[in-house]
């Protein structure tokens, strides 16, 4: 043959056998290393010479020696096999090293949630052997949803409330909320067993101006709503005045409860849960960083 066309796996195997024969110094010496018989080695060498179109070595009573073409093929084979090993190493490294960036939007006041799987997933994604840059955007849920839909954000964490059908969701956890008052409030010292729903309804409470599921809205509608808050931090400000009651996530109120500055009222009836989900676009393009993050979230 005048030239060698596209190389197959079999031809690469023949070159590996040839390399071993050269380094062992002959067919007989290569038998043990290759684990095949001398006759099989001879057949493979004949096959390689036929494919290349010239003789590679002299073998016989005079011993084993390479032809000039054999010396050239041996060097070229070393270059080829080294390149293949480098390619394999690079591909294997890609499986263990993640490179790129992650833009994630998270609605406010979630960092104190005990079961924060997002934190653990971000820790895994930014491990030293990865090369990932994370950009976190703390925004209201509607801004997070818009960011994911327009592609500005790769993923988002929001309450599962009024989500567009173009988004794919993955449940993260349920967030429990209770009705709180501060230590300065008239009901703070009234035990639950002595506290009536009529008493609760007679005191000013806070209307939320952020998305809530129906069950949560119904819980608010039973109260005497005389103030409003755009987020949970605003609700906490109003509760701490001692003038208002309001619903807060348990993990948000915990710091004030522990300090004796807040308490939950009538917990048997004044509570609800909000599911929080991870959102991505249904039609998002493949992205190894995002896929890895989702895998860390789900534990795969």
């Amino acid at each position: 043959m005048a030239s060698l066309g596209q190389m197959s796996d079999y031809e690469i195997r023949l070159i590996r056998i040839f390399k071993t024969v050269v380094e062992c110094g002959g067919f007989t010496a290569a038998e043990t290393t290759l684990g095949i018989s001398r006759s099989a080695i001879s057949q493979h060498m004949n096959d390689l010479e036929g494919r290349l179109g010239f003789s590679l070595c002299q073998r016989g009573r005079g011993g084993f020696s390479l032809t000039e073409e054999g010396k050239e093929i041996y060097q070229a084979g070393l270059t080829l096999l080294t390149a293949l090993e480098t390619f394999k190493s690079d591909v294997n490294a890609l499986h263990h090293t993640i490179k790129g960036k992650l833009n994630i939007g998270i609605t406010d006041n979630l960092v104190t949630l005990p079961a924060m799987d997002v934190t653990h997933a971000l820790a895994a994604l930014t491990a030293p052997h990865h090369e990932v840059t994370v950009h976190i955007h703390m925004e209201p849920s509607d801004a997070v949803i818009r960011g994911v839909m327009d592609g500005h954000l790769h993923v988002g964490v929001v309450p599962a409330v009024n989500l567009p059908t173009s988004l794919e969701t993955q449940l993260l956890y349920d967030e429990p909320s209770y009705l709180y008052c501060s230590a300065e409030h008239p009901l703070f010292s009234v035990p639950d067993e002595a506290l009536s729903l009529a008493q609760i309804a007679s005191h000013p409470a806070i209307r939320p101006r952020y998305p809530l599921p129906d069950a949560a809205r119904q819980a608010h509608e039973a109260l005497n709503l005389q103030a409003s808050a755009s987020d949970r931090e605003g609700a906490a400000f109003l509760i701490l005045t001692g003038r208002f009651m309001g619903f807060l996530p348990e993990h948000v109120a915990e710091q004030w409860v522990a300090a004796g500055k807040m308490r939950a009222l009538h917990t048997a009836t004044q509570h609800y849960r909000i599911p929080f989900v991870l959102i991505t676009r249904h039609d998002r393009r493949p992205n190894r960083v995002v896929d890895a993050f989702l895998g860390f979230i789900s534990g795969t």
Side-chain angles (χ1 to χ4, degrees):
M1 2 181 344
S3 62
L4 186 66
Q6 183 176 359
M7 295 194 69
S8 66
D9 289 343
Y10 179 64
E11 287 162 334
I12 293 173
R13 180 169 178 264
L14 293 179
I15 291 173
R16 291 186 189 278
I17 292 173
F18 173 57
K19 172 179 176 293
T20 301
V21 169
V22 173
E23 292 173 353
C24 288
F27 291 11
T28 302
E31 283 185 284
T32 302
T33 301
L34 291 171
I36 57 178
S37 66
R38 186 180 185 285
S39 61
I41 294 173
S42 179
Q43 181 58 50
H44 286 314
M45 292 300 300
N46 289 336
D47 198 359
L48 179 60
E49 290 175 330
R51 289 167 182 265
L52 293 174
F54 40 71
S55 175
L56 297 176
C57 57
Q58 301 293 335
R59 52 265 200 193
R61 292 184 178 181
F64 175 86
S65 63
L66 291 176
T67 64
E68 289 303 315
E69 292 83 3
K71 294 176 183 178
E72 294 288 340
I73 291 299
Y74 174 70
Q75 292 300 324
L78 290 179
T79 301
L80 170 65
L81 296 177
T82 299
L84 287 174
E85 286 302 314
T86 300
F87 176 77
K88 183 170 70 175
S89 297
D90 289 346
V91 170
N92 288 338
L94 284 175
H95 283 288
H96 295 91
T97 303
I98 304 168
K99 300 179 181 181
K101 66 179 180 179
L102 178 73
N103 293 325
I104 177 171
I106 303 178
T107 193
D108 301 337
N109 302 121
L110 287 188
V111 71
T112 53
L113 192 67
M116 192 55 173
D117 293 340
V118 172
T119 302
H120 305 310
L122 289 175
L125 192 67
T126 55
H129 59 284
H130 297 317
E131 298 175 23
V132 176
T133 303
V134 177
H135 301 284
I136 292 185
H137 305 260
M138 301 300 296
E139 298 176 326
S141 59
D142 57 347
V144 174
I145 292 169
R146 287 196 303 271
V148 172
M149 291 183 67
D150 66 21
H152 173 65
L153 299 175
H154 295 118
V155 296
V157 180
V158 296
V161 182
N162 302 326
L163 296 178
T165 57
S166 59
L167 294 178
E168 189 165 335
T169 64
Q170 180 176 334
L171 180 65
L172 293 175
Y173 36 71
D174 285 337
E175 179 188 71
S177 291
Y178 296 92
L179 182 64
Y180 290 91
C181 73
S182 77
E184 288 74 31
H185 195 276
L187 299 182
F188 184 82
S189 300
V190 181
D192 276 4
E193 58 269 22
L195 188 60
S196 69
L197 297 182
Q199 282 178 289
I200 292 174
S202 68
H203 289 270
I206 304 162
R207 180 191 299 275
R209 298 201 311 273
Y210 42 87
L212 290 173
D214 290 342
R217 292 211 167 274
Q218 290 171 10
H220 283 88
E221 293 303 327
L223 302 177
N224 180 15
L225 302 174
Q226 294 188 19
S228 68
S230 62
D231 55 32
R232 294 166 176 84
E233 186 175 5
F237 267 111
L238 289 172
I239 293 168
L240 289 169
T241 66
R243 305 293 186 185
F244 302 93
M245 301 176 298
F247 280 95
L248 286 177
E250 183 179 29
H251 65 94
V252 173
E254 184 178 18
Q255 58 178 310
W256 294 296
V257 172
K261 294 182 178 181
M262 279 190 192
R263 66 160 284 208
L265 298 169
H266 215 280
T267 56
T269 60
Q270 302 302 308
H271 64 86
Y272 57 80
R273 303 182 76 88
I274 300 178
F276 275 76
V277 294
L278 193 75
I279 57 172
T280 54
R281 283 175 47 161
H282 275 301
D283 60 349
R284 70 179 180 87
R285 294 181 178 179
N287 182 310
R288 191 153 179 261
V289 173
V290 177
D291 291 342
F293 178 72
L294 297 177
F296 291 137
I297 285 285
S298 62
T300 59

